[in-house]
Amino acid sequence: MTNKPGFNEIYQASIDQPETFWAEQAENVYWYKKWDRVLDDSDAPHYRWFAGGQTNVCYNAVDRHVEAGRGDQAAIIYDSPITGTKDRLSYRVLRDRVAKFASVLLDRGIQKGDRVIIYMPMIPEAVIAMLACARIGAIHSVVFGGFAARELAVRIDDARAKLIVAASCGIEPGRVIEYMPLLNRAIELAEYKPEGCVVYQREQAVAELMEGRDTEWQAAEAQAQACDCVPVEATDPLYILYTSGTTGQPKGVVRDTGGSIVSLQWTMKNIYNVEPGEVYWAASDVGWVVGHSYIVYGPLFAGNTTIIFEGKPVGTPDPGTFWRIINDYKVSVLFTAPTAFRAIKKEDPGGEYIKKYDISSLKALFLAGERTDPATLEWAEQKLGVPVIDHWWQTETGWSICANCIGIEQLPVVSGSPTRPAPGWELAVLDEGGAPMAVGEIGALVAKLPLPPGTFPTLWQAKDRYFSAYLEQFPGYYETGDAGYIDENGYVFVMARTDDVINVAGHRLSTGAMEEVLAFHPDVAECAVFGVHDALKGQLPLGLVILNSGCDRSHEDIAKECIALMREKIGPVAAFKLVGVATRLPKTRSGKVLRATMRNIADGEPYTVPATIDDPAILNEIEQSLKALGYANT
Ligand code: COA
Ligand code: AMP
């Protein structure tokens, strides 16, 4: 009998000798040229993994599996209850289609290092487009379909995208969203003009293409010759993924090539406990980091079958959809957000739909995107009868900071905690001045530098912002932006964001960006947006607006216009539907808006009147405005 190392041993090795640890994992990856240095610290606190190495993401995700005899295995299963479509792409078919689409990109003038924006719904072509970029060393930037034209334009400008790859439409329950008007508007708004668009035509809404600018995907792919993978530097960017920060200008999180392959491949066995050939399903969207890491790259690096699911947990057609997918494709591991489970639980509290299907293939459920509330955890554990694992991570980190690494050794599940730091992560809880907090005390959650491979080495074209936003406050550490505590067993509890970022249905949104939008309304003099508790989505944004003096228009009309404005400028994903009118905002004497106090009032939570408030009387008025919206009920 061999003595398998336990979690503590593996964790300690990763902390004591990170270079040895990750170099060992890197042996499982295909390299055209091995690295010169495992960890390049010559520009600390900016670190680079596998400097000097050359590899290719697409080769590691697709081609090598075909060459190793996995060609007939399904790489992608596409299941779209929303269109009634199912498809299966073997690794061989995936390789051939990606190789051709990469040629289409080359023919459009895309070269190594060029940026390509991908604006697509959950169809296999979204994955093909991502892999095709990686095949030729182009940098993709996927934009979630729920974002409006203005958000797309901001990303086109920041990335200076040379090409946009899109579909003709996305489909939400009850409505088809035509993408062409959004694309046209975004290109019009953007200062940097992409050279062209490649559009995948879907039958639900065939787009009218612009002569000279647009290319039809299907026609171009049919004529293309396959092209090979090109070696790229391990430190070359694989993608840019924009995420919400404190301001309206999103942060362009960069993920590099070598670190991503090494880390994501390692997580598939060690965190998720799936073996090559097993079916792994992340029910998210390719527009989010979960989609990048665990719909596309992680499962494909590891030779798993991944599922592209175009539907919702409920309503497509019923709360049994997840169980049907598990039944039909023998899913081993499911990964989704707690909000999806809350939606299912609300419609089927007794779990009657589960009984209609054979879900015995399921080994574990992983949840992330927001804290898993104990009620949801308990319900899922009871109804599914498998370990339910909350794990904590961020767009910036690319994979989990804390997890119960069941592929190494399953630790006891503690409700409310994403367990302990994963190998590679050394965490601390610090006070505002950078001093360590005592065990069990809440403070800023920070990770010791260097971060492990697969995390973000920088922000796109914004090295200074990377430093000031993440590294400056606590020298030697990465500031996660989350607050929490670590208990006496080393279990981490992530409690809240320390900035103005809120989490709506597992989607990360900036209240600062929403305030910038409300400020566009001609009658709005001042405003504040904050997150209020919602039983289904975790949080919902609520806006309070102060109107220009002399404005006597109906408050109801102004609220409607604010909601429409948010939908137009940020997109439906903002889920912005709550607007109240007040005469003043509570502020400190130095003028800082007291959003946290207003949030507490809205949620009916006890709060202390801040000593620095300039006029405490105003809180009563705020309470009345919030009551009118159905909040502030103690
Ligand atoms: N394109 C266009 N619009 C989109 C969209 C997309 N890709 N995704 C969502 N939207 C729209 C929705 O249709 C909705 O519009 P509406 O205001 O007209 O109803 C709006 O954006 C808000 O969407 P969402 O917050 O997702 O709410 P929902 O009511 O449609 O669904 C859940 C609620 C909980 C079922 C859904 O959020 C869900 O499945 N979440 C899973 C979590 C997840 O995927 N998280 C990602 C990180 S793991
Ligand atoms: P995103 O970058 O969209 O993945 O959002 C990351 C943020 O979501 C984190 O900073 C946390 O605030 C929150 N988050 C994600 N997963 C968890 C979790 N398991 N527990 C608590 N918060 C989480």
Side-chain angles (χ1 to χ4, degrees):
M1 200 175 109
T2 52
N3 238 351
K4 208 173 141 231
F7 177 79
N8 288 339
E9 199 179 323
I10 290 185
Y11 176 77
Q12 212 47 54
S14 79
I15 300 301
D16 294 344
Q17 299 200 305
E19 294 189 57
T20 311
F21 181 85
W22 291 112
E24 217 171 275
Q25 315 314 330
E27 293 297 338
N28 302 320
V29 166
Y30 177 79
W31 299 88
Y32 297 101
K33 173 181 172 287
K34 285 268 175 78
W35 51 91
D36 299 326
R37 296 183 68 178
V38 183
L39 178 68
D40 178 359
D41 59 0
S42 56
D43 187 28
H46 301 267
Y47 298 89
R48 306 309 311 257
W49 287 95
F50 307 110
Q54 288 187 346
T55 182
N56 182 286
V57 159
C58 185
Y59 184 78
N60 277 284
V62 187
D63 298 51
R64 74 167 158 155
H65 298 312
V66 180
E67 289 162 20
R70 219 171 262 290
D72 294 330
Q73 182 196 311
I76 294 177
I77 286 166
Y78 169 53
D79 192 300
S80 169
I82 217 152
T83 59
T85 320
K86 291 176 187 180
D87 200 1
R88 177 190 184 276
L89 280 73
S90 67
Y91 269 98
R92 183 173 294 106
V93 167
L94 181 62
R95 179 197 59 188
D96 294 346
R97 290 198 61 193
V98 170
K100 283 189 173 187
F101 193 67
S103 278
V104 173
L105 297 178
L106 290 173
D107 290 346
R108 305 268 95 54
I110 296 300
Q111 297 173 0
K112 196 168 168 178
D114 285 341
R115 275 80 56 210
V116 175
I117 284 203
I118 299 175
Y119 189 67
M120 296 191 93
M122 285 293 287
I123 56 177
E125 284 71 20
V127 182
I128 291 173
M130 292 164 79
L131 290 164
C133 288
R135 193 171 187 87
I136 58 170
I139 303 167
H140 62 68
S141 186
V142 183
V143 179
F144 178 62
F147 281 119
R150 181 172 162 270
E151 291 290 322
L152 186 53
V154 167
R155 287 153 175 80
I156 293 172
D157 276 336
D158 193 78
R160 299 176 79 80
K162 201 164 169 186
L163 187 78
I164 302 181
V165 178
S168 57
C169 66
I171 306 162
E172 282 292 288
R175 69 180 201 276
V176 172
I177 299 147
E178 291 193 28
Y179 281 1
M180 264 342 242
L182 287 164
L183 280 190
N184 291 337
R185 178 80 184 125
I187 293 172
E188 193 182 304
L189 288 171
E191 276 173 27
Y192 185 87
K193 303 294 176 197
E195 287 169 19
C197 303
V198 179
V199 182
Y200 183 83
Q201 295 282 20
R202 303 187 79 187
E203 62 182 38
Q204 290 79 6
V206 174
E208 206 176 298
L209 303 186
M210 199 183 279
E211 180 98 31
R213 188 194 73 180
D214 301 339
T215 307
E216 194 209 56
W217 174 310
Q218 283 94 331
E221 187 187 334
Q223 286 163 11
Q225 302 288 318
C227 79
D228 274 340
C229 299
V230 303
V232 303
E233 294 296 317
T235 50
D236 278 345
L238 164 64
Y239 67 77
I240 308 166
L241 180 59
Y242 287 90
T243 191
S244 302
T246 313
T247 66
Q249 180 65 26
K251 293 165 165 172
V253 166
V254 172
R255 191 88 54 220
D256 67 9
T257 298
S260 296
I261 310 173
V262 173
S263 59
L264 291 177
Q265 185 173 304
W266 176 85
T267 62
M268 295 310 294
K269 168 66 190 147
N270 291 280
I271 295 185
Y272 299 100
N273 197 24
V274 284
E275 302 288 347
E278 285 192 274
V279 182
Y280 178 92
W281 177 27
S284 177
D285 188 287
V286 284
W288 307 113
V289 67
V290 175
H292 283 63
S293 293
Y294 292 114
I295 293 175
V296 185
Y297 292 120
L300 296 180
F301 288 146
N304 295 120
T305 298
T306 186
I307 295 183
I308 305 283
F309 170 69
E310 191 182 27
K312 304 264 174 181
V314 294
T316 57
D318 55 43
T321 306
F322 273 26
W323 324 130
R324 174 185 67 78
I325 299 265
I326 295 169
N327 176 107
D328 287 358
Y329 308 114
K330 304 283 161 267
V331 172
S332 289
V333 167
L334 168 62
F335 175 177
T336 190
T339 188
F341 264 73
R342 288 198 296 272
I344 295 171
K345 179 174 157 230
K346 191 170 162 214
E347 291 205 4
D348 182 23
E352 298 306 320
Y353 279 88
I354 303 175
K355 295 175 194 151
K356 296 185 182 182
Y357 300 97
D358 174 5
I359 60 161
S360 58
S361 61
L362 192 71
K363 298 193 299 190
L365 166 68
F366 281 78
L367 297 172
E370 55 175 319
R371 181 168 182 259
T372 301
D373 54 288
T376 303
L377 179 83
E378 203 177 292
W379 187 85
E381 274 176 343
Q382 254 182 22
K383 301 293 178 222
L384 303 182
V386 296
V388 177
I389 310 292
D390 179 11
H391 60 330
W392 169 48
W393 53 298
Q394 310 179 310
T395 306
E396 287 86 343
T397 68
W399 58 282
S400 42
I401 309 167
C402 285
N404 201 331
C405 301
I406 59 171
I408 300 175
E409 176 191 354
Q410 192 180 322
L411 302 177
V413 170
V414 172
S415 182
S417 167
T419 317
R420 286 170 43 187
W425 292 93
E426 198 175 353
L427 298 190
V429 181
L430 304 180
D431 70 12
E432 276 180 16
M437 304 290 292
V439 167
E441 300 257 313
I442 293 189
L445 282 165
V446 298
K448 194 150 180 241
L449 298 176
L451 298 183
T455 55
F456 71 141
T458 192
L459 291 176
W460 179 250
Q461 305 285 5
K463 194 176 172 189
D464 291 348
R465 189 178 182 195
Y466 176 77
F467 180 77
S468 62
Y470 300 106
L471 309 181
E472 192 169 28
Q473 167 92 10
F474 302 110
Y477 293 96
Y478 160 69
E479 183 184 1
T480 64
D482 282 311
Y485 66 92
I486 303 180
D487 76 5
E488 62 283 4
N489 299 316
Y491 276 62
V492 178
F493 292 77
V494 184
M495 306 309 288
R497 291 285 304 188
T498 55
D499 53 14
D500 295 327
V501 167
I502 59 170
N503 204 307
V504 179
H507 309 322
R508 173 167 157 185
L509 299 166
S510 160
T511 54
M514 294 193 207
E515 288 177 1
E516 285 175 27
V517 169
L518 291 181
F520 276 107
H521 192 287
D523 294 324
V524 171
E526 224 187 332
C527 64
V529 177
F530 47 92
V532 293
H533 176 74
D534 181 73
L536 176 64
K537 297 193 179 184
Q539 281 185 302
L540 279 179
L542 185 150
L544 283 182
V545 294
I546 313 300
L547 303 181
N548 289 320
S549 57
C551 170
D552 55 2
R553 297 189 52 224
S554 129
H555 290 180
E556 203 179 314
D557 286 351
I558 292 173
K560 274 192 198 145
E561 289 160 11
C562 287
I563 291 166
L565 194 65
M566 200 68 80
R567 211 173 162 91
E568 181 206 320
K569 301 253 183 224
I570 292 189
V573 67
F576 184 80
K577 294 182 177 155
L578 299 166
V579 187
V581 176
T583 57
R584 286 174 303 158
L585 291 174
K587 292 184 184 166
T588 61
R589 280 188 284 276
S590 60
K592 198 167 171 283
V593 176
L594 293 162
R595 293 182 185 79
T597 311
M598 289 192 281
R599 190 187 60 221
N600 285 338
I601 298 175
D603 288 344
E605 281 174 7
Y607 64 95
T608 43
V609 179
T612 51
I613 194 166
D614 66 345
D615 177 10
I618 193 171
L619 294 180
N620 290 332
E621 196 195 309
I622 294 293
E623 192 172 333
Q624 295 318 311
S625 302
L626 292 170
K627 279 208 158 102
L629 294 170
Y631 287 82
N633 299 311
T634 38

